[in-house]
Structures are given as C-alpha cells and as structure tokens.
Amino acid sequence: CMLPIVECGGLDAVVQTMQQHPSSASIQEGACNAMHNVGCDSKYLEQFAKLGGVSLVVGALRNHTSSLGLAAKGIHVLGQLCAGDNSVREQLRQLDTVGVVQDAIQEHPDGKEVQEVGDEVVRLLVTQ
C-alpha cells in the first residue's frame, strides 16, 4: 500500500492529473493504477470518491475503450469502490458503470482480469 503518498496529498494529485489529461489513456491508466494500490484502505477510496474520482474512472473507461491496461486497472478500482458504501454503488449505477464495464468486457475478450473482475463489478452493481 502507498499510504505515505496518500498522507502527502497524493489523492488530490491523482484526481487533478486525471482531470487535466482526459485524452491520455496512459496517464488515466497510471492514475487508476495508483488508486488500485491505495485501495487496500477503504477510507482512501471514499476520499477519492468524494473528490470526484468515481466519474473520472468511469469516464476514462468510456473514453479509452481500446486500452486493455486502462480497462484492467480501471475495473479493479471500480471493484474496490463497489465494496464501499452504498452511496458509491449508487453513484456508479447513475453513471451507467454496468454498461461501461460490459463494453470493456466485450472489447477485451482475451483480457482475463477485465473478464473476471468486470463480471464481479457488474454482479455487485446489479444485485446490491
């Protein structure tokens, strides 16, 4: 876990970077990777969500459908967010995250992580 980075304002930096570089799949992937790494602590994921991170991750997946790396990391973050409180799951539902994840699953049939974690994210959003 990258907790010292979080304690120094790392979440704000991740959100700002995602906001400033929406057209860069590699930057969006790196940001999702950073969030996946701090996702070991739910309070950081909640803070990320409060900063607008939920819509940024969904938007990155929606805008960069061909990027397997981004799909894998982004869907992992979505899975971590789904494990949080119900308000985050509701926000994910309102953003049509199920459709975005299903599109990624379809776009990357050989992406094992995308398939497995994507199926779990869809299941969590549909059943909880």
Side-chain angles (χ1 to χ4, degrees), residues 70-113:
L70 174 56
K73 290 301 177 190
I75 289 173
H76 267 288
V77 172
L78 294 177
Q80 291 170 309
L81 289 164
C82 282
D85 65 39
N86 196 44
S87 67
V88 173
R89 282 191 298 280
E90 186 55 37
Q91 187 179 4
L92 288 165
R93 287 184 194 101
Q94 290 174 2
L95 293 167
D96 186 32
T97 302
V98 169
V100 171
V101 171
Q102 287 173 331
D103 289 347
I105 289 169
Q106 209 167 36
E107 178 74 22
H108 304 287
D110 296 327
K112 184 177 178 182
E113 281 182 285

Short mmCIF file of all heavy atoms in Angstrom, two decimals, residues 70-113:
data_model
loop_
_atom_site.label_atom_id
_atom_site.label_comp_id
_atom_site.label_asym_id
_atom_site.label_seq_id
_atom_site.Cartn_x
_atom_site.Cartn_y
_atom_site.Cartn_z
N LEU A 70 -5.72 0.12 -19.22
CA LEU A 70 -6.64 1.02 -18.52
C LEU A 70 -7.89 0.26 -18.11
O LEU A 70 -8.39 0.43 -16.99
CB LEU A 70 -7.00 2.22 -19.40
CG LEU A 70 -8.07 3.15 -18.85
CD1 LEU A 70 -7.71 3.68 -17.47
CD2 LEU A 70 -8.30 4.30 -19.81
N ALA A 71 -8.41 -0.58 -18.99
CA ALA A 71 -9.60 -1.36 -18.66
C ALA A 71 -9.35 -2.22 -17.42
O ALA A 71 -10.17 -2.25 -16.49
CB ALA A 71 -10.03 -2.23 -19.84
N ALA A 72 -8.21 -2.89 -17.39
CA ALA A 72 -7.90 -3.76 -16.25
C ALA A 72 -7.78 -2.97 -14.95
O ALA A 72 -8.39 -3.32 -13.94
CB ALA A 72 -6.62 -4.55 -16.53
N LYS A 73 -7.00 -1.91 -14.98
CA LYS A 73 -6.79 -1.12 -13.75
C LYS A 73 -8.05 -0.38 -13.34
O LYS A 73 -8.41 -0.33 -12.17
CB LYS A 73 -5.63 -0.14 -13.92
CG LYS A 73 -4.29 -0.80 -13.99
CD LYS A 73 -4.01 -1.60 -12.72
CE LYS A 73 -2.70 -2.34 -12.81
NZ LYS A 73 -2.52 -3.30 -11.73
N GLY A 74 -8.74 0.20 -14.32
CA GLY A 74 -9.96 0.94 -14.01
C GLY A 74 -11.03 0.06 -13.43
O GLY A 74 -11.70 0.42 -12.46
N ILE A 75 -11.20 -1.12 -13.99
CA ILE A 75 -12.21 -2.04 -13.48
C ILE A 75 -11.83 -2.55 -12.09
O ILE A 75 -12.70 -2.74 -11.24
CB ILE A 75 -12.47 -3.18 -14.50
CG1 ILE A 75 -13.22 -2.60 -15.72
CG2 ILE A 75 -13.25 -4.32 -13.87
CD1 ILE A 75 -13.39 -3.55 -16.87
N HIS A 76 -10.55 -2.73 -11.84
CA HIS A 76 -10.12 -3.10 -10.49
C HIS A 76 -10.53 -2.02 -9.49
O HIS A 76 -11.03 -2.32 -8.40
CB HIS A 76 -8.61 -3.31 -10.42
CG HIS A 76 -8.19 -4.72 -10.64
ND1 HIS A 76 -8.39 -5.71 -9.71
CD2 HIS A 76 -7.58 -5.30 -11.67
CE1 HIS A 76 -7.91 -6.85 -10.18
NE2 HIS A 76 -7.41 -6.63 -11.38
N VAL A 77 -10.30 -0.76 -9.85
CA VAL A 77 -10.68 0.34 -8.96
C VAL A 77 -12.20 0.35 -8.75
O VAL A 77 -12.68 0.53 -7.64
CB VAL A 77 -10.18 1.70 -9.50
CG1 VAL A 77 -10.74 2.85 -8.68
CG2 VAL A 77 -8.66 1.74 -9.51
N LEU A 78 -12.94 0.14 -9.84
CA LEU A 78 -14.40 0.09 -9.71
C LEU A 78 -14.82 -1.03 -8.76
O LEU A 78 -15.74 -0.87 -7.97
CB LEU A 78 -15.05 -0.09 -11.07
CG LEU A 78 -14.89 1.08 -12.05
CD1 LEU A 78 -15.53 0.72 -13.38
CD2 LEU A 78 -15.45 2.36 -11.48
N GLY A 79 -14.14 -2.17 -8.85
CA GLY A 79 -14.44 -3.27 -7.93
C GLY A 79 -14.18 -2.89 -6.49
O GLY A 79 -14.97 -3.21 -5.59
N GLN A 80 -13.09 -2.18 -6.25
CA GLN A 80 -12.79 -1.73 -4.89
C GLN A 80 -13.85 -0.72 -4.42
O GLN A 80 -14.28 -0.76 -3.27
CB GLN A 80 -11.39 -1.10 -4.84
CG GLN A 80 -10.28 -2.11 -5.03
CD GLN A 80 -8.93 -1.43 -5.21
OE1 GLN A 80 -8.79 -0.54 -6.03
NE2 GLN A 80 -7.96 -1.86 -4.41
N LEU A 81 -14.26 0.16 -5.33
CA LEU A 81 -15.28 1.15 -4.98
C LEU A 81 -16.62 0.48 -4.68
O LEU A 81 -17.35 0.92 -3.80
CB LEU A 81 -15.42 2.18 -6.09
CG LEU A 81 -14.27 3.16 -6.24
CD1 LEU A 81 -14.33 3.87 -7.58
CD2 LEU A 81 -14.27 4.17 -5.08
N CYS A 82 -16.94 -0.58 -5.41
CA CYS A 82 -18.19 -1.31 -5.19
C CYS A 82 -18.25 -1.92 -3.80
O CYS A 82 -19.33 -2.11 -3.24
CB CYS A 82 -18.35 -2.44 -6.21
SG CYS A 82 -18.89 -1.88 -7.82
N ALA A 83 -17.10 -2.22 -3.25
CA ALA A 83 -17.04 -2.82 -1.92
C ALA A 83 -17.29 -1.78 -0.83
O ALA A 83 -17.48 -2.14 0.33
CB ALA A 83 -15.69 -3.49 -1.70
N GLY A 84 -17.31 -0.50 -1.21
CA GLY A 84 -17.53 0.57 -0.25
C GLY A 84 -18.99 0.73 0.11
O GLY A 84 -19.80 -0.19 -0.05
N ASP A 85 -19.32 1.91 0.55
CA ASP A 85 -20.69 2.13 1.00
C ASP A 85 -21.67 2.22 -0.17
O ASP A 85 -21.29 2.38 -1.31
CB ASP A 85 -20.79 3.36 1.92
CG ASP A 85 -20.47 4.66 1.22
OD1 ASP A 85 -20.87 4.83 0.05
OD2 ASP A 85 -19.83 5.52 1.85
N ASN A 86 -22.93 2.12 0.17
CA ASN A 86 -23.98 2.05 -0.84
C ASN A 86 -24.07 3.33 -1.67
O ASN A 86 -24.46 3.28 -2.83
CB ASN A 86 -25.32 1.73 -0.19
CG ASN A 86 -26.33 1.28 -1.21
OD1 ASN A 86 -26.01 0.48 -2.08
ND2 ASN A 86 -27.53 1.81 -1.13
N SER A 87 -23.71 4.47 -1.10
CA SER A 87 -23.80 5.72 -1.86
C SER A 87 -22.83 5.71 -3.05
O SER A 87 -23.14 6.26 -4.11
CB SER A 87 -23.54 6.94 -0.97
OG SER A 87 -22.21 6.95 -0.51
N VAL A 88 -21.69 5.08 -2.89
CA VAL A 88 -20.74 4.97 -4.00
C VAL A 88 -21.30 4.03 -5.06
O VAL A 88 -21.23 4.32 -6.26
CB VAL A 88 -19.35 4.51 -3.51
CG1 VAL A 88 -18.42 4.24 -4.68
CG2 VAL A 88 -18.74 5.55 -2.58
N ARG A 89 -21.88 2.91 -4.64
CA ARG A 89 -22.51 2.00 -5.61
C ARG A 89 -23.63 2.69 -6.36
O ARG A 89 -23.78 2.52 -7.57
CB ARG A 89 -23.01 0.72 -4.92
CG ARG A 89 -21.89 -0.27 -4.61
CD ARG A 89 -22.44 -1.62 -4.18
NE ARG A 89 -23.23 -1.56 -2.95
CZ ARG A 89 -22.72 -1.51 -1.72
NH1 ARG A 89 -21.41 -1.53 -1.55
NH2 ARG A 89 -23.52 -1.47 -0.67
N GLU A 90 -24.40 3.51 -5.66
CA GLU A 90 -25.48 4.24 -6.33
C GLU A 90 -24.92 5.24 -7.34
O GLU A 90 -25.45 5.39 -8.44
CB GLU A 90 -26.36 4.96 -5.30
CG GLU A 90 -27.57 5.61 -5.90
CD GLU A 90 -28.44 4.66 -6.71
OE1 GLU A 90 -28.59 3.47 -6.34
OE2 GLU A 90 -28.98 5.09 -7.75
N GLN A 91 -23.84 5.90 -6.98
CA GLN A 91 -23.18 6.82 -7.92
C GLN A 91 -22.70 6.05 -9.16
O GLN A 91 -22.86 6.53 -10.28
CB GLN A 91 -22.01 7.52 -7.22
CG GLN A 91 -21.38 8.60 -8.05
CD GLN A 91 -20.24 9.30 -7.32
OE1 GLN A 91 -19.86 8.93 -6.21
NE2 GLN A 91 -19.67 10.28 -7.95
N LEU A 92 -22.15 4.88 -8.95
CA LEU A 92 -21.69 4.05 -10.07
C LEU A 92 -22.86 3.66 -10.96
O LEU A 92 -22.75 3.68 -12.19
CB LEU A 92 -20.96 2.82 -9.55
CG LEU A 92 -19.57 3.09 -8.97
CD1 LEU A 92 -19.08 1.90 -8.16
CD2 LEU A 92 -18.58 3.44 -10.07
N ARG A 93 -23.97 3.33 -10.36
CA ARG A 93 -25.16 2.97 -11.15
C ARG A 93 -25.63 4.15 -11.98
O ARG A 93 -25.98 4.01 -13.15
CB ARG A 93 -26.28 2.49 -10.23
CG ARG A 93 -26.06 1.12 -9.65
CD ARG A 93 -27.25 0.67 -8.82
NE ARG A 93 -26.88 -0.48 -8.03
CZ ARG A 93 -26.57 -0.44 -6.73
NH1 ARG A 93 -26.64 0.67 -6.05
NH2 ARG A 93 -26.23 -1.54 -6.10
N GLN A 94 -25.65 5.34 -11.40
CA GLN A 94 -26.12 6.53 -12.10
C GLN A 94 -25.22 6.89 -13.29
O GLN A 94 -25.67 7.52 -14.24
CB GLN A 94 -26.21 7.71 -11.13
CG GLN A 94 -27.34 7.57 -10.13
CD GLN A 94 -27.34 8.68 -9.09
OE1 GLN A 94 -26.53 9.59 -9.13
NE2 GLN A 94 -28.27 8.58 -8.15
N LEU A 95 -23.97 6.49 -13.24
CA LEU A 95 -23.02 6.76 -14.32
C LEU A 95 -23.04 5.67 -15.40
O LEU A 95 -22.20 5.67 -16.28
CB LEU A 95 -21.60 6.89 -13.75
CG LEU A 95 -21.36 8.10 -12.87
CD1 LEU A 95 -20.04 7.96 -12.12
CD2 LEU A 95 -21.37 9.38 -13.71
N ASP A 96 -23.98 4.74 -15.33
CA ASP A 96 -24.09 3.61 -16.25
C ASP A 96 -22.79 2.81 -16.29
O ASP A 96 -22.30 2.41 -17.34
CB ASP A 96 -24.48 4.06 -17.67
CG ASP A 96 -24.73 2.86 -18.58
OD1 ASP A 96 -25.20 1.81 -18.08
OD2 ASP A 96 -24.43 2.96 -19.79
N THR A 97 -22.25 2.59 -15.11
CA THR A 97 -21.00 1.84 -15.00
C THR A 97 -21.17 0.42 -15.51
O THR A 97 -20.25 -0.13 -16.11
CB THR A 97 -20.50 1.85 -13.54
OG1 THR A 97 -20.33 3.23 -13.14
CG2 THR A 97 -19.19 1.11 -13.39
N VAL A 98 -22.33 -0.17 -15.30
CA VAL A 98 -22.57 -1.54 -15.79
C VAL A 98 -22.36 -1.58 -17.30
O VAL A 98 -21.66 -2.45 -17.82
CB VAL A 98 -23.98 -2.04 -15.40
CG1 VAL A 98 -24.31 -3.33 -16.13
CG2 VAL A 98 -24.06 -2.25 -13.89
N GLY A 99 -22.93 -0.62 -18.01
CA GLY A 99 -22.76 -0.58 -19.47
C GLY A 99 -21.32 -0.36 -19.89
O GLY A 99 -20.83 -0.99 -20.83
N VAL A 100 -20.62 0.51 -19.18
CA VAL A 100 -19.21 0.79 -19.49
C VAL A 100 -18.37 -0.46 -19.27
O VAL A 100 -17.52 -0.80 -20.10
CB VAL A 100 -18.70 1.98 -18.65
CG1 VAL A 100 -17.21 2.16 -18.79
CG2 VAL A 100 -19.43 3.27 -19.04
N VAL A 101 -18.61 -1.15 -18.16
CA VAL A 101 -17.84 -2.37 -17.87
C VAL A 101 -18.19 -3.47 -18.88
O VAL A 101 -17.29 -4.17 -19.37
CB VAL A 101 -18.08 -2.83 -16.41
CG1 VAL A 101 -17.47 -4.21 -16.17
CG2 VAL A 101 -17.51 -1.81 -15.44
N GLN A 102 -19.46 -3.61 -19.22
CA GLN A 102 -19.83 -4.60 -20.22
C GLN A 102 -19.18 -4.30 -21.57
O GLN A 102 -18.75 -5.22 -22.27
CB GLN A 102 -21.35 -4.67 -20.35
CG GLN A 102 -22.00 -5.34 -19.17
CD GLN A 102 -23.51 -5.27 -19.19
OE1 GLN A 102 -24.12 -4.34 -19.73
NE2 GLN A 102 -24.15 -6.26 -18.57
N ASP A 103 -19.07 -3.03 -21.93
CA ASP A 103 -18.37 -2.65 -23.16
C ASP A 103 -16.90 -3.07 -23.10
O ASP A 103 -16.35 -3.58 -24.08
CB ASP A 103 -18.47 -1.15 -23.41
CG ASP A 103 -19.86 -0.70 -23.82
OD1 ASP A 103 -20.71 -1.57 -24.16
OD2 ASP A 103 -20.10 0.53 -23.80
N ALA A 104 -16.26 -2.86 -21.95
CA ALA A 104 -14.85 -3.25 -21.79
C ALA A 104 -14.68 -4.76 -21.88
O ALA A 104 -13.74 -5.25 -22.49
CB ALA A 104 -14.31 -2.72 -20.45
N ILE A 105 -15.61 -5.48 -21.28
CA ILE A 105 -15.58 -6.95 -21.34
C ILE A 105 -15.66 -7.41 -22.79
O ILE A 105 -14.93 -8.30 -23.23
CB ILE A 105 -16.71 -7.56 -20.48
CG1 ILE A 105 -16.41 -7.35 -18.99
CG2 ILE A 105 -16.92 -9.03 -20.80
CD1 ILE A 105 -17.58 -7.67 -18.07
N GLN A 106 -16.55 -6.78 -23.53
CA GLN A 106 -16.73 -7.14 -24.94
C GLN A 106 -15.51 -6.74 -25.79
O GLN A 106 -15.10 -7.48 -26.68
CB GLN A 106 -17.97 -6.44 -25.48
CG GLN A 106 -18.67 -7.16 -26.58
CD GLN A 106 -20.06 -6.55 -26.81
OE1 GLN A 106 -20.26 -5.34 -26.69
NE2 GLN A 106 -21.02 -7.40 -27.12
N GLU A 107 -14.93 -5.59 -25.48
CA GLU A 107 -13.78 -5.07 -26.24
C GLU A 107 -12.52 -5.90 -26.00
O GLU A 107 -11.65 -5.97 -26.85
CB GLU A 107 -13.53 -3.61 -25.83
CG GLU A 107 -12.35 -2.95 -26.50
CD GLU A 107 -12.58 -2.59 -27.95
OE1 GLU A 107 -13.74 -2.44 -28.38
OE2 GLU A 107 -11.57 -2.45 -28.68
N HIS A 108 -12.40 -6.52 -24.83
CA HIS A 108 -11.17 -7.24 -24.44
C HIS A 108 -11.47 -8.69 -24.06
O HIS A 108 -11.28 -9.09 -22.90
CB HIS A 108 -10.49 -6.49 -23.29
CG HIS A 108 -10.17 -5.07 -23.60
ND1 HIS A 108 -9.16 -4.72 -24.46
CD2 HIS A 108 -10.78 -3.92 -23.21
CE1 HIS A 108 -9.13 -3.40 -24.56
NE2 HIS A 108 -10.10 -2.89 -23.82
N PRO A 109 -11.89 -9.50 -25.03
CA PRO A 109 -12.26 -10.89 -24.70
C PRO A 109 -11.09 -11.73 -24.19
O PRO A 109 -11.31 -12.72 -23.49
CB PRO A 109 -12.79 -11.44 -26.03
CG PRO A 109 -12.18 -10.57 -27.07
CD PRO A 109 -12.03 -9.22 -26.45
N ASP A 110 -9.86 -11.32 -24.50
CA ASP A 110 -8.69 -12.08 -24.04
C ASP A 110 -8.08 -11.49 -22.77
O ASP A 110 -7.08 -11.99 -22.28
CB ASP A 110 -7.63 -12.13 -25.14
CG ASP A 110 -8.12 -12.89 -26.37
OD1 ASP A 110 -8.91 -13.85 -26.20
OD2 ASP A 110 -7.74 -12.51 -27.49
N GLY A 111 -8.67 -10.42 -22.27
CA GLY A 111 -8.17 -9.79 -21.04
C GLY A 111 -8.76 -10.48 -19.82
O GLY A 111 -9.88 -10.18 -19.41
N LYS A 112 -8.01 -11.42 -19.27
CA LYS A 112 -8.52 -12.25 -18.17
C LYS A 112 -8.99 -11.39 -16.99
O LYS A 112 -10.07 -11.62 -16.44
CB LYS A 112 -7.44 -13.23 -17.73
CG LYS A 112 -7.91 -14.19 -16.66
CD LYS A 112 -6.83 -15.19 -16.30
CE LYS A 112 -7.33 -16.09 -15.19
NZ LYS A 112 -6.34 -17.04 -14.75
N GLU A 113 -8.17 -10.39 -16.60
CA GLU A 113 -8.55 -9.53 -15.48
C GLU A 113 -9.83 -8.76 -15.79
O GLU A 113 -10.72 -8.65 -14.94
CB GLU A 113 -7.45 -8.50 -15.19
CG GLU A 113 -6.28 -9.00 -14.42
CD GLU A 113 -5.31 -7.87 -14.16
OE1 GLU A 113 -4.60 -7.48 -15.10
OE2 GLU A 113 -5.28 -7.39 -13.02
#
